Amino acid sequence: LYTLTVGQLVFHDFSKAVVTFDFFNRGKTDFPEGFAIALQEQIVHLSKLRLTAEEQAWLHTIPFLRHTYIEWLSSYRLDTHEVTVTQDGGTLKIHISGYWYRTIFWEVCLMAIISELYFRLTGKTTDSQWKTRIYEKSSKLSQAGCHWIDFGTRRRFSLEVQDKLVEMMKDYKGFLGTSNMFLAMKYGIISHGTYSHQGPMGISALYGVRMANKMWMKHWSEHYEGNVGVALTDTFTTDVFLHDFGSYDARLFDGCRQDSGDEYVWGNNMLAHYKRLGIAVSNKRMVFSNNLNTDKYIAIDRYFRQFVQPCGGIGTHFTNDVGENVIPLNMVIKMTSADFGNGKINVVKLSDDPGKHTGNSESIELAKRELGI
């Protein structure tokens, strides 16, 4: 969902922005010979996809998606010329370039394909107990009184696994839905999402890193008028975000999402921040989405539910726990530059986990100096 929510804002507010994205193989996975060729074949298939009449009608039921955007989506096609894929031995490189409002769709599609294709070409298979584990996780979370969302599209073992997961979980109390819009439509459940790091990252090329969070929230709140009201805190570290998250935004946004760092440190810092601003927190949301598993999230939920409304956005623990011989890929696709007509500017992400910073080293150090990190 965050692809469409960010994409819609970019389509209307930043239609002339040209950006680049690159593939980051954090886990240093060796890709098998011929992987790039197989991926390019899949990219050609992707370029032939189009929005169906049924999908278009379903999108119209989502109140914060504009009719103008849905109409444009109905004629949109992914353009293979925007993507370059190369392979040197086991090293895979992917570079994406083009208008932001168009190229935004590559990230999720490519990551899901890369993951499933990798396991297919390396001969990995599910074991006999993977569906049982879905049942056990669903039961455990529900019995603990938790609320959770499936965030597992990008690094799933396969579409088949995620499809079965959503089909099984939709009947459990506490399961709020999925970020995967296709499966939300298929099973008649809610599609959930916030915004992605690329929003503040992208406009940092226009406003600078010191103003990027503030200006992104301004564009977001004006565009969505209170809908989709969960802010992402760790594009340039949460400490920097909190400097910009003043009384107006903290009251306007329903809550925040944590995607790196220590959950308890982050959550307690958020509680202290709201307290300093004199804001009651009982109706505020805290969405946790940093490499969660069932037991880890139950403990987080039980601690924070006494203060706020916690929710777990759980990814590979749901969609890629299919056997001991299958290790999920540790990879991301991140924006690396943006040009708003003022020249190409490198952009960075400064995570609450230093190992998750993205961007070239010079740009990262420059951003850290500007932000006093």
Side-chain angles (χ1 to χ4, degrees):
L1 179 63
Y2 74 27
T3 301
L4 265 71
T5 53
V6 176
Q8 178 176 270
L9 188 156
V10 169
F11 178 84
H12 285 91
D13 289 11
F14 305 112
S15 61
K16 295 182 180 179
V18 176
V19 300
T20 62
F21 298 86
D22 285 282
F23 173 73
F24 294 88
N25 183 6
R26 288 175 175 165
K28 309 299 182 185
T29 301
D30 280 332
F31 287 86
E33 183 180 353
F35 188 89
I37 295 172
L39 179 57
Q40 287 169 333
E41 292 174 354
Q42 295 299 320
I43 289 172
V44 172
H45 290 307
L46 264 181
S47 70
K48 298 176 182 177
L49 291 178
R50 61 176 298 167
L51 200 67
T52 67
E54 179 188 12
E55 290 163 348
Q56 186 174 350
W58 182 77
L59 289 176
H60 280 295
T61 68
I62 301 175
F64 50 80
L65 292 181
R66 299 184 182 184
H67 290 193
T68 49
Y69 190 57
I70 297 171
E71 182 178 346
W72 174 77
L73 279 174
S74 68
S75 60
Y76 171 77
R77 303 289 185 278
L78 288 151
D79 185 350
T80 60
H81 296 97
E82 295 168 343
V83 183
T84 302
V85 180
T86 59
Q87 184 173 358
D88 182 6
T91 302
L92 181 70
K93 292 186 178 180
I94 301 172
H95 181 73
I96 302 160
S97 179
Y99 284 107
W100 190 5
Y101 74 92
R102 289 192 50 84
T103 55
I104 193 171
F105 292 97
W106 285 108
E107 178 211 356
V108 175
C109 295
L110 282 177
M111 288 183 66
I113 290 172
I114 290 166
S115 185
E116 183 162 354
L117 189 61
Y118 173 80
F119 295 120
R120 188 181 299 175
L121 293 183
T122 54
K124 302 298 184 183
T125 57
T126 58
D127 65 19
S128 60
Q129 298 298 309
W130 68 273
K131 293 178 185 177
T132 301
R133 286 194 290 276
I134 293 174
Y135 164 76
E136 291 171 346
K137 292 169 186 176
S138 305
S139 300
K140 201 170 187 178
L141 286 164
S142 186
Q143 289 169 12
C146 296
H147 294 90
W148 73 96
I149 303 167
D150 160 43
F151 271 14
T153 299
R154 295 181 303 160
R155 301 179 189 91
R156 66 193 182 194
F157 180 81
S158 67
L159 172 59
E160 177 189 7
V161 169
Q162 189 179 20
D163 191 307
K164 179 54 67 173
L165 173 110
V166 173
E167 181 185 18
M168 293 174 68
M169 285 193 169
K170 68 181 177 64
D171 296 324
Y172 284 86
K173 183 179 180 181
F175 180 61
L176 300 182
T178 175
S179 61
N180 187 302
M181 301 185 76
F182 170 73
L183 295 176
M185 181 187 76
K186 180 176 179 179
Y187 290 109
I189 58 177
I190 296 174
S191 181
H192 286 278
T194 56
Y195 60 75
S196 54
H197 296 107
Q198 69 173 285
M201 287 175 70
I203 68 168
S204 71
L206 181 62
Y207 297 109
V209 290
R210 297 179 71 90
M211 290 297 293
N213 276 321
K214 191 70 176 177
M215 294 307 297
W216 180 258
M217 286 188 286
K218 181 178 186 295
H219 280 277
W220 190 264
S221 59
E222 289 177 352
H223 189 89
Y224 286 107
E225 300 180 325
N227 291 300
V228 207
V230 175
L232 180 60
T233 68
D234 70 334
T235 305
F236 307 111
T237 75
T238 295
D239 287 344
V240 168
F241 172 85
L242 291 179
H243 283 295
D244 301 320
F245 199 52
S247 181
Y248 178 84
D249 288 323
R251 294 175 191 278
L252 177 63
F253 280 80
D254 297 328
C256 293
R257 175 162 75 95
Q258 185 261 0
D259 198 49
S260 61
D262 181 276
E263 287 79 8
Y264 296 93
V265 171
W266 178 89
N268 285 319
N269 285 342
M270 291 302 307
L271 291 174
H273 187 73
Y274 283 124
K275 184 177 181 180
R276 283 194 297 271
L277 296 174
I279 298 174
V281 297
S282 59
N283 288 325
K284 290 297 182 182
R285 300 177 190 169
M286 285 187 182
V287 180
F288 298 88
S289 61
N290 181 28
N291 193 28
L292 298 176
N293 60 47
T294 303
D295 291 338
K296 178 181 177 181
Y297 181 65
I298 289 174
I300 293 168
D301 190 287
R302 283 177 170 164
Y303 177 81
F304 285 106
R305 71 174 64 162
Q306 61 185 311
F307 309 111
V308 297
Q309 297 180 12
C311 178
I314 304 178
T316 53
H317 177 65
F318 281 167
T319 60
N320 211 334
D321 180 14
V322 297
E324 291 184 359
N325 68 329
V326 177
I327 300 174
L329 300 181
N330 184 1
M331 59 173 177
V332 293
I333 291 176
K334 291 294 183 185
M335 184 184 291
T336 47
S337 74
D339 184 349
F340 289 80
N342 55 342
K344 182 179 177 180
I345 297 175
N346 293 328
V347 300
V348 303
K349 174 178 176 285
L350 304 178
S351 170
D352 288 336
D353 293 322
K356 290 185 177 180
H357 291 349
T358 61
N360 68 51
S361 57
E362 182 180 347
S363 297
I364 288 173
E365 291 306 313
L366 177 62
K368 288 169 70 174
R369 287 199 298 273
E370 286 189 36
L371 296 169
I373 298 174

